[in-house]
Amino acid sequence: MAHALPLWSAARLRRRPPPPVLAVVAVVALLALPVSGGGADGAHPADVASGLAVLYCAVRLVRDRRRPLSRRGAVVLGLPVVGLAVAAAGALSPEAGLTGLGRYLQVFVLVPAAVVLLVRDRGDVRLLAWSMVGLAVWQGAVGVHQYATGTGASYQGEQVRAVGTFGPQDVMGMATVVSLGLVCAVGLALGRTPVRHRLLAAGCALALLLPLALSFSRGAWIATAVTCAAQLLLAGARRALAVGAAAVAAGVVLVGGFGVGTAMLQERVGSITRVADAPDQSVTDRYTMWAAAVGMWRERPLTGVGLKGFPEHRDGHASLALSSGSETDGAGAGYRRQPLLSPHNMYLLVLAEQGLIGLLALAGSWLALLVLGLRRLRAARRSRRPGQDCALVACGLLVWQLTDFAYADIGGPSTVLTAVCFGLAARWGLGGGTGAGAEAGSGAGTGRGEVPVS
């Protein structure tokens, strides 16, 4: 009789199906794999896993005969489809239109909707957030090793730039992963979970400051600083001052004493304030491509030049200040000259290729998610309900993406993580996301014994 209960419990555990969120966790985990020889242009296993997660979600919906999304969720997540359909119809070729349409739907519609439906409760949100922290720690460790051993991507004639497993063709990949992991760690540290969990999250956030610095990514630095400051202020002013002081002190300790690295970092930080007076060639190229994107929009203000149309129209709108391409080398890859095929500004890219219709649709969806998320975060703080860490993670990831879009656009393997971030933001902002009562935060669609995110 003494062994009956353990045997019964083991049998029950064997019959219990795995949580659906593991399909999304697998997408995050696969980003730890090295990028193949195709570099940023080839398909990554994480992209394949994201498609399988969408298919798995669809099968579950058909099997359970559930309504996919609430009315509000369908409108907010489906709004970008309007501009995408118009821009795809105006593309230079059917192939370019279908390719661009598929990529945008993956990142901003299908994968986020799958995340909304597969993430059931606060435990799932924390599991997904910790998986992003773990990925960031791994990529950051690889990046620090690259800097310490001189095996990173080329920067100022030395192979010291930390790029993780993404290679020199996607120098922003590691910076994006580390930044998003740091944002998740800060959100988890500011919640009301057990002290050991918060201490572990705070330790991970401090450790990730070093690889973020060694990525030499100015856009990631700015977006992370803005987002972490917003998270601290949303968590409380007194806590913001204390944690901010500790983060500054830790940054000085981690970065100081790295010799040539300190000089490079000082020069890189100083270049942020010299973008108007004495910009380097990368900044000049960016300004030139921004002007080209505005020129394309003025030519076709409502519908833009069509999906995947920026590279074809670039030379007709860019000035002679634009260089022929960027040079990449190191991190296990040979010298390569990459053409400049995007303006490195998501808002201007959408404006150029999709016009005002596409920009209003996409930006309207993002703004709605931000407003809904902040409203629910404010309500959670007032009622002192558990789950503040989930709110800070979801809102923080969205704020980081919207800030980073001013300096970057989608592209490369790390883009699939952007889709997961929008999905988490939608999961929090839209509440339960499924069923008739989801908008009221009733947690429709969750199983017995689960606590909904709301």
Side-chain angles (χ1 to χ4, degrees), residues 135 212 262 307 334 337 344 413 416 435:
L135 174 65
L212 178 60
T262 302
L307 294 181
R337 193 165 187 85
H344 295 289
V416 71

Side-chain angles (χ1 to χ4, degrees), residues 36 50 68-69 96 111 117 135 147 150 164 170 175 186 213 234 246 250 266 275 287 290 296 315 345 359 369 371 399:
S36 60
S50 69
L69 293 168
V111 175
L117 297 169
L135 174 65
Y147 172 83
D170 186 16
V186 170
L234 290 172
Q266 289 176 350
V275 293
Y287 282 170
W290 287 4
M296 296 177 201
D315 293 339
N345 182 304
L359 182 62
L369 290 178
V371 171
V399 170

Side-chain angles (χ1 to χ4, degrees), residues 99-113:
T99 303
L101 179 63
R103 186 60 161 169
Y104 274 97
L105 288 178
Q106 173 202 14
V107 177
F108 299 117
V109 180
L110 297 178
V111 175

Side-chain angles (χ1 to χ4, degrees), residues 398-415:
L398 183 58
V399 170
W400 191 94
Q401 290 293 344
L402 298 184
T403 306
D404 185 67
F405 277 167
Y407 308 95
D409 47 49
I410 58 175
S414 59
T415 299

Side-chain angles (χ1 to χ4, degrees), residues 224-451:
T224 304
V226 170
T227 303
C228 291
Q231 287 177 303
L232 291 171
L233 290 175
L234 290 172
R238 288 184 298 178
R239 184 182 293 185
L241 292 175
V243 177
V248 171
V252 172
V253 172
L254 288 172
V255 176
F258 270 78
V260 64
T262 302
M264 288 182 175
L265 287 173
Q266 289 176 350
E267 189 277 333
R268 192 67 166 170
V269 173
S271 67
I272 297 176
T273 60
R274 296 196 307 267
V275 293
D277 298 333
D280 55 30
Q281 185 59 47
S282 65
V283 176
T284 301
D285 288 340
R286 184 163 301 189
Y287 282 170
T288 305
M289 290 189 293
W290 287 4
V294 173
M296 296 177 201
W297 166 68
R298 288 175 176 171
E299 185 178 296
R300 301 181 186 177
L302 286 181
T303 60
V305 297
L307 294 181
K308 297 287 185 177
F310 182 88
E312 299 295 331
H313 292 81
R314 183 200 63 184
D315 293 339
H317 295 84
S319 68
L320 296 177
L322 183 65
S323 66
S324 59
S326 60
E327 299 176 345
T328 62
D329 195 6
Y335 174 84
R336 181 179 177 183
R337 193 165 187 85
Q338 288 185 291
L340 303 173
L341 302 179
S342 70
H344 295 289
N345 182 304
M346 190 65 199
Y347 303 108
L348 291 179
L349 177 62
V350 173
L351 188 65
E353 294 187 344
Q354 303 179 40
L356 282 176
I357 296 176
L359 182 62
L360 291 177
L362 265 174
S365 174
W366 301 339
L367 182 60
L369 290 178
L370 182 62
V371 171
L372 291 172
L374 292 177
R375 283 177 57 187
R376 297 194 68 228
L377 172 59
R378 183 181 179 184
R381 282 196 60 193
R382 285 183 173 180
S383 61
R384 294 189 174 275
R385 296 176 183 172
Q388 184 176 343
D389 55 335
C390 300
L392 292 173
V393 166
C395 294
L397 292 175
L398 183 58
V399 170
W400 191 94
Q401 290 293 344
L402 298 184
T403 306
D404 185 67
F405 277 167
Y407 308 95
D409 47 49
I410 58 175
S414 59
T415 299
V416 71
L417 204 59
T418 299
V420 174
C421 293
F422 275 103
L424 272 176
R427 182 62 178 85
W428 170 256
L430 297 173
T434 60
E439 295 177 15
S442 61
T446 58
R448 177 182 295 182
E450 296 170 354
V451 182

Side-chain angles (χ1 to χ4, degrees), residues 73-92:
V75 170
V76 172
L77 292 179
L79 188 60
V81 178
V82 177
L84 291 174
V86 174
L92 293 175

Side-chain angles (χ1 to χ4, degrees), residues 19-169:
V21 72
L22 291 182
V24 187
V25 172
V27 176
V28 177
L30 286 174
L31 284 172
L33 297 177
V35 175
S36 60
D41 300 327
H44 193 274
D47 289 304
V48 179
S50 69
L52 293 177
V54 173
L55 180 61
Y56 170 64
C57 181
V59 170
R60 284 176 54 87
L61 291 175
V62 173
R63 184 194 64 187
D64 298 340
R65 297 181 180 180
R66 285 166 35 194
R67 187 172 67 184
L69 293 168
S70 64
R71 287 186 295 271
R72 177 186 294 176
V75 170
V76 172
L77 292 179
L79 188 60
V81 178
V82 177
L84 291 174
V86 174
L92 293 175
S93 67
E95 181 182 0
L98 290 176
T99 303
L101 179 63
R103 186 60 161 169
Y104 274 97
L105 288 178
Q106 173 202 14
V107 177
F108 299 117
V109 180
L110 297 178
V111 175
V115 173
V116 170
L117 297 169
L118 295 177
V119 174
R120 303 171 301 176
D121 50 32
R122 292 192 298 270
D124 286 354
V125 174
R126 294 187 181 109
L127 176 60
L128 192 52
W130 276 112
S131 69
M132 295 175 67
V133 174
L135 174 65
V137 170
W138 160 249
Q139 292 287 355
V142 174
V144 172
H145 178 266
Q146 290 171 335
Y147 172 83
T149 58
T151 57
S154 178
Y155 180 76
Q156 293 186 355
E158 300 184 50
Q159 296 185 356
V160 294
R161 187 168 191 174
V163 293
T165 64
F166 293 97
Q169 283 78 36

